[in-house]
Amino acid sequence: MAERWPPGLIKRWPGYGIERFLRVPNDLTHILAGSEGTLAAIFSAELKISPLPHEKGLGLIFFASIAEAMQATVELLDLKPAAIEHIDRPLLDQTKAQLQFQAARDLLELESKPCESILIVEFYEDVAERLSILQSKKIGLRTKILTDPAQMNMVWSVRKSGLSLLTGCIGAAKPVAFIEDAAVRPAQLPDYVRGLQSIMKPLGLTASYYGHAASGLLHVRPVLDMHSAADLKKFRQVADETSALVRQFKGSLSAEHGVGIARTEYMRDQLGNQLLEVMREIKRAFDPKNVFNPGKIFADGSEPDGHRHKIDNHLRENFTRPLELPFQPVLAFASKDRSFTGNLEQCNGCGGCLKQSDIMCPTFIATHDEVMSTRGRANIIRAALEVRTNPATAGLKSAELDAALSNCLSCKGCTPECPSNVNLALLKAEMLHARWRRDGLPLRERILSNVDLLGKLGCLMPRLTNRLLASKPARIAMEKTIGISARRSLPQYASERFDRWFSRHAVAGGGDPGRRQGSAARMDAGVTAPGYRGKVILWDDTFVRYHEPHIGIAAVKVLEALGFEVALAKNRRCCGRPAFSQGNLDAAAKLAKHNVSQLLVRRSLGEGGSTFNSQLSTAPVLFLEPSCWSMFVEDYRELKIENAENIAGRCFLFEKFVADLLAQEPEALRFKERTANVLIHPHCHAKSILNPAFMATLAERLPGRKATMLDTACCGMAGAFGALAEKYDLSLQVAQRLLDQIDNQPQGTEVIASGTSCRHQITDLTNLRPKHMAELLADALL
């Protein structure tokens, strides 16, 4: 036993804890711990709880190579740290352009001071003294000391997301887990890593080496394309040679993740015949009928060669049989994978979406139902396309698929918060488009794709339209025919459209002439008003134009107070978000092409009597509705619209544009002082692209205001979703998290919600009248 279980190996040997049991022979928990469900079922357990440390501290040491980091690990063990964790360049590189990890990258100074490897050294108690000793050792390229809990959590968030970050790399080749659980004694780490590198190099393989350096356990993941026959041979060769290497170091091939069925073929070499037979006797004693997980940990003799499972058989079906799509994808999946299948396969099952905070995944947060999570939906899409559901209703007709997709809010919360960046909103749009292309677009989806047209028609006779749509017979008829819930209010049509108000305003030379140039002709003549900043294009979205003109008016007031001349895009059409969310991608693409052309072609710009001048071809385009903005900056690229990238660089959220200007020139606007609490519910699409913290900073520029960013996900309305009769109850469930945070607020509290759907939901379910940030700013102007 001493030969197979040498002292100093910190992480457990695979299989039943015989060595631990021999030390405490009356405690069967040592046998059960690590038995991987092969001996018994545990229905209840009594846990021993350890107190949390009073203080913690991190020392970060940056290295030019993994080899140096491994040697340093050995040198640092005498400091008795609580942990030494290693992360390397492949993992760190996967955090680039990831909104969720940008703060951590900034903290680690990875852009200005790149490195190949980082050791995270954690101490409990006597933190200051031990960190001082660590720093005095002058190891590596540089050292950074952290004691602030928020900063330490940023670093740990990178390490904890290691699996998903690595498997989220672009392309078919991924860092694969199959030798990731091997451990050696910590002092052997440098030689062990050199041995692994000598295995990889002749095969032309790279790998990531991250994990528990202080325990001698690195999660090594070679980069392989498991769809490739050549790489499958390398997979087998690396597994065989690593098993032999671990045996050479008298290490453990399975240290904490378990033997499972992947490593059973190596257990005889690792354990030897004598120990393997002891384990068989234990198995027979506990489970004489071989009921519990047969074939796990060691072979059970059910196959001719004694091995039911080998590391390279029973692979996932899409490795051995490429996924054949019953449709031709149309979206680019431009932000990462460049393919539908590539993005679908980014889901590695880590379960990062099964949580109760942040923005992913709001339907799971509300229901706790796995099918409502990003992982659940990705698995159902895979199962439907691989015909693993009912063959009679497989593929695009699958009832399970319909349930998964129809309850996805397309909130984009998964794109920043899933470390692998699974984009369910795009996957859903693609699948719906394939279905409509085959079966035809249903009436309801056709109507909901054309809300801009409905706005235009409704504003022809707004009073009559509003009365008609509020009548009980009309609401009952709408629910029975197209499924719009009679319990849900409908947006009111404005008595005067925003674009028509703007036309009158521009002709009248609205705004302070000392701040705003009212006539483009005067500008063309070279006349410049004091404080004039140039032109901006305000995108008057469907809801601002036809339903909420007061928001557009407020935005114009703020922009003119800042010294901008405001123009609208002439002949603009709906951004295409409603059509895109319904899977009506052909219509969305048509609208996108038109809008991009209007922002590029000179003659089409300028409104309200203004003639075009060259400023408008480069003028910033400002959006009041975040879902329209995200359409321009993200989804037009996904629709493969020519020049979309150029236009995206000019597009800004209204509040971000104003916040950035005031950050540079705090005195550019003057506001009235008033004591008030401001609660801000950021739109999901805004949170998926940028950090919304600037909104609180902007609100607090108003004297006397105290701003709070609400910890909320999707409001539950999500465009047309919350208006549907069959989704109404789920919409309310999703909204509950938001409602809990805005209920019972003191009088005078102002709730800010930039999304029209968010304001609709709050108005329907509370007594509050939420505002857009533009209204808050405009109302406070001196």
Side-chain angles (χ1 to χ4, degrees), residues 19-34:
E19 189 269 342
R20 293 189 300 272
F21 176 72
L22 291 176
R23 283 188 270 127
V24 190
N26 294 321
D27 189 351
L28 286 177
T29 61
H30 290 302
I31 295 290
L32 292 176

Side-chain angles (χ1 to χ4, degrees), residues 167-448:
T167 57
C169 63
I170 296 174
K174 308 283 186 187
V176 180
F178 62 108
I179 60 168
E180 89 297 344
D181 199 30
V184 296
R185 283 160 287 187
Q188 298 172 316
L189 262 181
D191 291 335
Y192 173 63
V193 168
R194 277 192 288 272
L196 286 172
Q197 290 173 333
S198 70
I199 293 172
M200 309 287 178
K201 189 175 181 180
L203 297 174
L205 297 178
T206 59
S208 174
Y209 300 78
Y210 77 96
H212 320 299
S215 302
L217 170 54
L218 292 181
H219 298 312
V220 182
R221 292 172 179 265
V223 178
L224 294 160
D225 180 359
M226 298 297 282
H227 307 83
S228 158
D231 274 15
L232 282 173
K233 289 181 181 179
K234 294 178 183 180
F235 174 75
R236 159 57 67 181
Q237 185 174 339
V238 170
D240 290 346
E241 292 184 15
T242 301
S243 176
L245 181 68
V246 171
R247 180 72 188 92
Q248 176 187 326
F249 281 97
K250 297 182 180 180
S252 171
L253 191 62
S254 174
E256 65 177 10
H257 292 170
V259 177
I261 59 178
R263 288 178 266 262
T264 58
E265 66 171 298
Y266 297 112
M267 284 304 100
R268 184 174 298 278
D269 290 338
Q270 295 291 316
L271 298 172
N273 290 331
Q274 187 176 3
L275 283 175
L276 199 65
E277 188 53 39
V278 171
M279 292 176 64
R280 289 186 188 279
E281 287 297 323
I282 294 172
K283 170 70 170 173
R284 282 193 285 265
F286 275 84
D287 184 21
K289 295 184 179 180
N290 198 27
V291 172
F292 288 97
N293 278 336
K296 266 197 175 183
I297 299 182
F298 51 82
D300 58 9
S302 59
E303 297 290 325
D305 62 358
H307 295 295
R308 178 189 305 184
H309 300 291
K310 291 188 176 183
I311 198 166
D312 54 355
N313 66 11
H314 299 291
L315 296 176
R316 233 169 63 178
E317 188 174 356
N318 63 303
F319 292 154
T320 56
R321 182 173 66 89
L323 189 63
E324 296 180 6
L325 300 180
F327 58 89
Q328 181 62 44
V330 299
L331 297 176
F333 290 86
S335 62
K336 192 161 190 177
D337 303 283
R338 314 291 195 281
S339 80
F340 175 93
T341 303
N343 192 254
L344 178 61
E345 291 189 350
Q346 288 289 13
C347 182
N348 56 51
C350 74
C353 48
L354 307 181
K355 57 183 184 176
Q356 300 300 314
S357 60
D358 297 322
I359 58 174
M360 176 182 74
C361 178
T363 47
F364 175 80
I365 293 171
T367 65
H368 303 167
D369 186 348
E370 167 96 10
V371 76
M372 297 288 192
S373 70
T374 302
R375 180 175 76 178
R377 292 188 173 102
N379 283 337
I380 285 177
I381 291 173
R382 269 197 293 256
L385 295 177
E386 292 172 357
V387 198
R388 285 191 279 121
T389 55
N390 184 347
T393 59
L396 300 177
K397 290 184 177 179
S398 164
E400 295 90 345
L401 180 64
D402 184 66
L405 296 183
S406 68
N407 289 317
C408 171
L409 304 177
S410 297
C411 68
K412 295 179 177 272
C414 45
T415 54
E417 291 199 1
C418 169
S420 297
N421 308 122
V422 175
N423 193 327
L424 232 299
L426 291 188
L427 294 173
K428 172 188 174 181
E430 192 79 84
M431 295 289 286
L432 289 178
H433 177 65
R435 183 185 296 176
W436 306 147
R437 189 162 50 183
R438 186 194 65 186
D439 300 337
L441 188 68
L443 174 63
R444 182 170 76 182
E445 283 68 20
R446 195 176 299 276
I447 292 172
L448 295 178

Side-chain angles (χ1 to χ4, degrees), residues 34 58 79 120 186 199 316 453 562 566 735:
L58 287 188
L79 293 179
I120 307 170
I199 293 172
R316 233 169 63 178
L453 175 61
L562 282 167
V566 182

Side-chain angles (χ1 to χ4, degrees), residues 46 97 112 115 136 162 219 290 315 355 395 426 451 470 486 513 527 550 552 577 643 730 733:
E46 184 176 315
S112 59
C115 66
S136 70
H219 298 312
N290 198 27
L315 296 176
K355 57 183 184 176
L426 291 188
V451 291
V527 180
H550 57 279
R577 171 63 63 203
N643 291 312
L730 179 58
Q733 276 183 275

